Amino acid sequence: DTAGILSTKGGSPLHENRIPEVDDPFVRRLKEAGAIIIGKTNAPELGLGSHTYNGQFGRTLNPYDISRTAGGSSGGAAVAVASRMLCVADGSDMMGSLRNPAGWNNLYSLRPTARFLEDEEANMKECILPYPISTVGPIARTPSDLAMLLGTLVGSDRYDSSAFNAERDVTGYRIGWLADWEGAYPMESGILQQCRDALEVLKKCGIEVEHIKRAPFSASELWVSWTTIRSKMISDTMIEEFGQDFFLKGDPPFKNEVLWEVCRGIDVSGEQISKAVSIATSWSRCASSLFEKYDALVLPSAQMWPFSAQLDWPQAIGDASMDTYHRWMECVIPVSLAGLPCATVPSGFGESLPIGLQIFSGRGEDSVALS
């Protein structure tokens, strides 16, 4: 929230005239550091979907090809930085909302360790996991700018950006390349090769890169756990604000994906939540064991190149059909479900379109991901 500035939650008709009276704590810290808040950037309606469009402000287009999507949900923030309207921008990330736009706009971003921001501590009563599934983070054109904005967003007591060294010696670092998770994540042609080419650059910096050929955890279990927890939390939040009857009768004034999440969350049982939390805990333990061997793990920032901006969401990746509006972003779930810090870095262009790498490390190791 930004005090005195129209804040529509992604052009939602439910919030079309909403003007907050109080800044969120991280916005207050930005202002105290001298930042000039000039307005809001575009986002998908209520932040749902990794493609930035809504009925109030339209579609945000990719500056590298204006026929393509800029990603989302922080698509407007990414485009503003990529097109040099802004030097840096804040965004938020639940299911790739900082990572996908950064990758598709040739930028850097950081999804901090969940609960890294002091602000998130106050909202823990609403969380199903021991940490929030969404967190605020920075987007920038350079790693140094990224570190500087991170320090401002979270506070210097939590991260001292002056200690960041863009020329830090990374010789001997070990990275585990997860590729397509042993075939579980469909990838559009050229994505994996472009990422492998980028990893070759890291090797020249002295980093050891090992291809992890066997999936470290069941992708289907990660999907079930994540979508159960996500739908339940979205549904509870929406029902608390508007009431359940609002969503179950008549024709609610928002896109179908919102209603899908709410109705799905209403049907989630306590047993399903318990199973989802158990899976998340098991994956967190598995990830911790991987970080005993590797300093960081790597996945593509998205499973496809920026798609047509006229689509609501892609129906397929190659021969693989997408059964939900967010299935095509499945490769971001390992980070989100475990609340891990993840930097997105540009990995180059294919067919004149950019893609990035997700470089993620253990909880609390944000400086490792940044370095």
Side-chain angles (χ1 to χ4, degrees), residues 145-218:
D145 286 351
L146 196 69
M148 186 176 295
L149 183 56
L150 175 66
T152 305
L153 290 174
V154 305
S156 58
D157 58 328
R158 297 212 166 195
Y159 180 74
D160 181 7
S161 61
S162 65
F164 176 75
N165 179 9
E167 303 301 324
R168 179 177 176 176
D169 183 11
V170 291
T171 301
Y173 272 45
R174 300 197 69 196
I175 282 180
W177 164 232
L178 290 160
D180 58 2
W181 208 270
E182 200 184 347
Y185 300 150
M187 295 282 172
E188 197 166 31
S189 176
I191 294 289
L192 291 178
Q193 185 57 55
Q194 188 61 53
C195 291
R196 284 192 292 265
D197 290 346
L199 291 172
E200 289 299 316
V201 176
L202 297 185
K203 288 181 181 180
K204 293 177 181 178
C205 297
I207 295 175
E208 298 177 28
V209 179
E210 179 182 332
H211 183 189
I212 302 175
K213 296 180 180 180
R214 293 289 300 273
F217 201 86
S218 166

Side-chain angles (χ1 to χ4, degrees), residues 7-13 15 18 40-48 52-58 73 255:
S7 300
T8 64
K9 296 189 175 182
S12 168
H15 303 91
R18 179 176 175 271
K40 306 284 285 192
T41 53
N42 203 19
E45 183 179 339
L46 297 173
L48 297 184
T52 299
Y53 72 95
N54 57 66
Q56 189 169 357
F57 302 114
S73 62
K255 65 181 184 180

Side-chain angles (χ1 to χ4, degrees), residues 132-152:
I133 62 172
S134 179
T135 186
V136 171
I139 297 177
R141 290 190 294 272
T142 70
S144 296
D145 286 351
L146 196 69
M148 186 176 295
L149 183 56
L150 175 66
T152 305

Side-chain angles (χ1 to χ4, degrees), residues 131 176 178 181-182 185 212 214-219 221-222 277-297 334-335 337-340 360-363:
Y131 41 83
L178 290 160
W181 208 270
E182 200 184 347
Y185 300 150
I212 302 175
R214 293 289 300 273
F217 201 86
S218 166
E221 287 192 356
L222 293 176
V277 171
S278 177
I279 292 171
T281 302
S282 295
W283 161 236
S284 292
R285 289 174 180 156
C286 177
S288 294
S289 67
L290 287 169
F291 292 124
E292 292 177 4
K293 182 177 181 181
Y294 302 103
D295 295 291
L297 300 174
V335 166
L337 189 60
L340 302 174
F360 54 104
S361 47
R363 287 185 57 80

Side-chain angles (χ1 to χ4, degrees), residues 94-117:
M94 178 184 285
M95 190 177 171
S97 292
L98 282 164
R99 291 166 279 167
N100 169 254
W104 279 355
N105 288 275
N106 197 38
L107 298 172
Y108 297 85
S109 72
L110 183 79
R111 184 192 206 271
T113 297
R115 289 185 75 173
F116 197 26
L117 272 75

Side-chain angles (χ1 to χ4, degrees), residues 10 30 51 55 70 83 89 109 113 129 135 158 222 239 241 246 253 275 278 296 330 332 347 353 356:
L30 284 169
H51 174 27
S83 60
S109 72
T113 297
L129 295 171
T135 186
R158 297 212 166 195
L222 293 176
I239 288 172
E241 186 171 2
F246 179 81
K275 179 181 178 182
S278 177
E330 193 173 359
V332 304
S347 65
L353 295 168

